[in-house]
């Protein structure tokens, strides 16, 4: 093992000499996620908050003054504006106002006579602000309707409860942590797989086909280090980079999420936001450890694939193009594993690599299934072992080393 | 001590046009012995099989047939131990551009299992001999081919190898640097090492080689001192031996 460690050390030393590559591999993701998350949440929040905080501009045609006073009592929701000149629809399209409300001329009389009067709202369905105005109007009318009905019932001598036969009360059985877990659980295997593969791919090519191309591999092979130790060293290097970049990406992602959600939680509901509690449930050490144990053999499989292809190739370009299909396969599997409802497929736990993302997914929604987890673990470890054996044998073949 | 007994090496190559697989016999039944304290010159035209022979001795390739021993160690049966005895240099071998010569030598010292202090001392000695000390701490990315070659030589000799295998050591070097290398080879001989070099440069052979073997089309012709060979063939320069061999093989076809 000494030889493998020495080779791995040399690879890391070489990497460390290249400041630029170091920056793009390790530092950029750390800076990237907080930036992306911060921007996304700011944009999202800003837009929605702005709309919600603004009263809808509504033109009201109400000769009998039945609804107008009601709308006037809610200045945070409605700003009554004068009716536009010319075409109303055009004015709404031009965002001069959000909605026009026309109430029957004899509305007051109809209300008195316990009849139905009509309200006509003109709005723009394609416009978020305009839709919000309609929603507000509907809610307002619903409340008012109830008051009126109760008043009518009273005059008839009936109990007011007659107006509301049901009362809906909803309780979230999953709880915030389950909701977050579901989102994270389906996203995380995808992110981890992609990051591990993509993060180590270039470095793997550099250390294998790249060394061949640059003519440095021969000087390694001429030393007294055993061949399989050289391959193992390269493997160890690619594997470590994969795990490292996955961890770095993950940590950065986690921290940015924590920051954004806790900020959002503070804004939305200072008492118990969706952020902190659920995230700490996600960061449950057992869940993370189990995830990590699965990712390790998977990372080894990826590293093997990369090293195998890199050693086979004549040069870096050839290596890159032979590794790409593998990357696409991993991406497809990762995307597939994000699809909703796939956890119900009975054969899924038997598909290598896919079963890893399934197992991780289940861990995060607290549906961990021990046999399935173990199956995924054993299969991946087995696969990694076979791959490792294959690639050490492959590098022993001189045709792989002296391709010209 | 280097000992080759009836060594064969065949490559399978594919003709891209006819898609037919073809056997290239690079080495056909080569036997030779190089003793400690001796410089052996392997001569031959392009594609004769010199590099292939040297690679096999260095344990980078395995013979299809025959036996190669380095210091009594079989290169197939005990590859690591045999390689530990060998210092190998070749033109298609490059240095790690991201390192400085000093860093490179430290790393290869570790690879060869040398004590850090010993490696440092030996590296300094070699860099001084090769007039590299001014560049010892400069990244090798911008090095000239001659500077790189010097670093490679230091790398090859770092672990004090009993057997020195140099494949075209003076290619791309100016006369001054070439002389430095030849002087170093003489030192190696004086230290009792077994040295084998390949080259096209005839004057160099006549100057330093104790014995020469001429490889032509995978076969070894002559295995004697340069002077002896000239006498045997009745020619004035070694180049003429080449012309003779080429004429013969043309006549055979
Ligand atoms: N890895 C390889 N794969 C296929 N054929 C090879 C390989 N290495 C060498 N050969 C073939 O073996 C023959 C001998 O090659 P070799 O490199 O030993 O020649 P050489 O004497 O060193 O020539 P030069 O003076 O040009 O360096 C050539 O025909 C070459 O094409
Ligand atoms: Mg050659």
């Amino acid at each position: 093992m000494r030889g493998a460690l020495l080779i791995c050390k040399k690879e890391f030393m070489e990497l460390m000499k290249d400041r630029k590559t170091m920056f793009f591999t390790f530092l950029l993701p750390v800076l990237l996620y907080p930036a992306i998350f911060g921007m996304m949440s700011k944009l999202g929040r800003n837009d929605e908050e702005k709309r919600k905080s603004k009263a809808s501009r509504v033109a009201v045609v109400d000769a009998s003054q039945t609804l107008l006073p009601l709308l006037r009592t809610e200045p945070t929701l409605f700003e009554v504006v004068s009716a536009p000149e010319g075409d109303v629809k055009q004015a709404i399209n031009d965002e001069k106002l959000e909605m026009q409300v026309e109430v029957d001329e004899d509305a007051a009389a109809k209300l008195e006579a316990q009849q139905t009067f009509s309200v006509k709202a003109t709005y723009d369905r394609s416009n978020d602000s305009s839709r919000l105005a309609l929603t507000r109007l509907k809610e307002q009318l619903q409340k008012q309707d109830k008051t009126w009905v109760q008043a009518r019932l009273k005059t008839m001598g009936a109990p007011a409860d007659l107006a509301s036969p049901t009362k809906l009360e909803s309780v979230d059985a999953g709880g915030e942590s389950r909701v977050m877990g579901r989102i994270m659980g389906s996203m995380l295997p995808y992110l981890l797989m992609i990051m591990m593969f993509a993060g180590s791919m270039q470095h793997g090519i550099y250390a294998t086909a790249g060394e061949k191309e640059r003519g440095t591999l021969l000087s390694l092979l001429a030393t007294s280090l055993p061949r399989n130790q050289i391959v193992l060293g390269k493997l160890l290097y690619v594997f470590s980079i994969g795990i490292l970049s996955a961890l770095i990406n993950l940590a950065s992602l986690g921290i940015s999420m924590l920051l954004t959600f806790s900020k959002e939680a503070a804004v939305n509901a200072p008492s118990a936001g969706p952020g902190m509690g659920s995230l700490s449930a996600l960061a449950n050490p057992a869940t993370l450890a189990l995830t990590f144990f699965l990712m390790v053999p998977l990372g080894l499989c990826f590293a093997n694939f990369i090293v195998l292809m890199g050693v086979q190739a004549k040069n870096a370009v050839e290596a890159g193009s032979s590794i790409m299909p593998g990357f696409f396969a991993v991406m497809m599997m990762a995307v597939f594993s994000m699809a909703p409802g796939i956890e119900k497929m009975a054969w899924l736990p038997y598909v290598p690599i896919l079963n890893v993302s399934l197992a991780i997914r289940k861990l995060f929604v607290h549906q961990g299934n021990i046999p399935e987890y173990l199956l995924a673990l054993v299969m991946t470890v087995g696969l990694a072992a076979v791959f490792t054996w294959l690639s050490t044998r492959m590098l022993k073949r001189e045709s792989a080393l002296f391709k010209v | 001590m280097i000992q080759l007994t009836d060594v064969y090496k065949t490559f399978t190559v594919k003709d891209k046009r006819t898609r037919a697989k073809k056997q290239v016999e690079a080495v056909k039944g080569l036997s030779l012995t190089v003793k400690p304290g001796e410089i052996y010159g392997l001569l031959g035209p392009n594609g004769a099989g010199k590099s292939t022979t040297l690679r096999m001795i260095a344990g980078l390739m395995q013979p299809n047939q025959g036996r190669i021993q380095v210091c009594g160690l079989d290169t197939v049966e005990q590859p690591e131990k045999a390689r530990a005895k060998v210092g190998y240099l070749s033109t298609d071998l490059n240095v790690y551009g991201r390192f400085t010569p000093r860093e490179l030598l430290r790393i290869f010292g570790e690879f060869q299992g040398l004590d850090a202090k010993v490696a440092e001392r030996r590296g300094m000695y070699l860099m001084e001999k090769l007039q590299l000390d001014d560049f010892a701490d400069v990244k090798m990315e911008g090095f000239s081919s001659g500077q790189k070659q010097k670093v490679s030589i230091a790398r090859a000799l770092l672990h004090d190898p009993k057997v020195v295998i140099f494949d075209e050591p003076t290619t791309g070097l100016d006369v001054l640097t070439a002389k430095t290398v030849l002087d170093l080879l003489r030192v190696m001989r004086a230290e009792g090492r077994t040295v084998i070099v390949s080259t096209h440069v005839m004057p160099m052979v006549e100057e330093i080689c104790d014995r020469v073997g001429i490889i032509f089309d995978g076969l070894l012709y002559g295995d004697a001192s340069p002077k002896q060979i000239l006498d045997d063939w009745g020619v004035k320069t070694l180049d003429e031996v080449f012309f003779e061999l080429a004429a013969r093989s043309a006549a055979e076809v």
Side-chain angles (χ1 to χ4, degrees), chain B residues 1-235:
Chain B
M1 177 91 144
I2 302 172
Q3 209 163 6
L4 276 76
T5 327
D6 205 21
V7 170
Y8 284 82
K9 181 70 189 177
T10 313
F11 294 107
T12 311
V13 291
K14 201 168 155 190
D15 191 310
K16 286 282 173 203
R17 221 164 44 143
T18 61
R19 297 180 154 273
K21 280 197 176 167
K22 193 167 71 168
Q23 301 284 317
V24 177
E25 292 184 297
V27 177
K28 308 174 194 168
L30 201 78
S31 297
L32 64 86
T33 307
V34 189
K35 291 192 286 289
E38 185 177 45
I39 299 181
Y40 191 99
L42 213 49
L43 309 186
N46 294 134
K50 303 182 294 291
S51 297
T52 308
T53 306
L54 295 183
R55 279 177 181 170
M56 285 192 290
I57 301 173
L60 293 166
M61 282 181 174
Q62 294 190 352
N64 297 98
Q65 219 185 71
R67 196 176 152 85
I68 302 174
Q69 282 175 301
V70 172
C71 299
L73 298 161
D74 190 300
T75 56
V76 177
E77 279 156 22
Q78 294 174 288
E80 284 92 35
K81 281 198 177 134
R83 280 207 300 274
K85 304 279 183 200
V86 169
Y88 174 77
L89 175 84
S90 145
T91 38
D92 32 58
L93 202 148
N94 210 339
V95 293
Y96 290 95
R98 287 184 188 172
F99 293 135
T100 66
R102 198 190 297 278
E103 286 165 341
L104 185 94
L105 293 180
R106 194 187 310 135
I107 290 166
F108 273 84
E110 284 181 352
F111 287 168
Q112 301 285 17
L114 298 183
D115 178 79
K117 282 225 176 67
V118 175
E120 168 91 29
R121 203 174 332 119
R122 178 107 182 130
M124 286 306 285
Y125 163 79
L126 286 166
M127 283 196 282
E128 200 180 306
K129 273 261 176 229
L130 290 158
Q131 290 134 30
L132 258 177
D133 14 7
D134 286 349
F135 298 94
D137 297 301
V138 180
K139 246 191 186 189
M140 289 186 276
E141 252 151 16
F143 274 23
S144 73
S145 54
Q147 287 168 327
K148 284 183 187 163
Q149 180 81 339
K150 284 182 182 179
V151 177
S152 278
I153 291 172
R155 191 223 76 233
L157 299 176
L158 184 70
H159 56 295
D160 212 354
K162 290 275 168 292
V163 170
V164 177
I165 303 172
F166 278 10
D167 193 357
E168 302 187 26
T170 54
T171 302
L173 300 184
D174 64 47
V175 281
L176 289 174
T177 318
K179 187 174 176 310
T180 315
V181 174
L182 295 189
D183 287 343
L184 197 63
L185 283 176
R186 285 199 187 92
V187 173
M188 296 286 131
R189 169 169 58 192
E191 287 169 351
R193 292 174 217 274
T194 311
V195 182
I196 185 165
V197 291
S198 82
T199 184
H200 311 271
V201 189
M202 299 305 171
M204 160 184 154
V205 177
E206 288 167 34
E207 201 182 321
I208 66 157
C209 291
D210 302 305
R211 262 185 323 133
V212 290
I214 294 170
I215 294 199
F216 196 87
D217 203 13
L219 291 166
L220 191 68
Y221 295 87
D223 184 357
S225 69
K227 204 170 167 321
Q228 182 81 50
I229 291 199
L230 294 180
D231 289 348
D232 288 353
W233 288 71
V235 289

Side-chain angles (χ1 to χ4, degrees), chain A residues 11-87:
Chain A
E11 301 298 342
F12 268 108
M13 279 173 72
E14 235 189 310
L15 175 65
M16 247 120 71
K17 294 277 166 196
D18 192 351
R19 293 268 156 75
K20 230 179 186 168
T21 312
M22 285 286 282
F23 172 78
F24 284 116
T25 311
F26 298 122
L27 211 61
L28 195 64
V30 175
L31 302 175
L32 206 63
Y33 287 107
I36 292 179
F37 263 81
M39 225 159 63
M40 260 171 33
S41 78
K42 203 166 193 158
L43 279 181
R45 204 165 51 217
N46 269 0
D47 195 40
E48 202 172 317
E49 260 169 27
K50 242 189 224 149
R51 264 189 284 118
K52 286 228 168 108
S53 66
K54 254 176 78 178
S56 307
R57 290 165 300 169
V58 186
V60 184
V61 183
D62 186 4
S64 62
Q65 298 279 315
T66 315
L67 271 187
L68 193 59
L70 275 171
L71 298 185
R72 284 234 162 90
T73 59
E74 296 283 2
T76 55
L77 297 180
F78 302 102
E79 181 196 344
V80 179
V81 297
S82 51
E85 291 166 26
D87 189 16

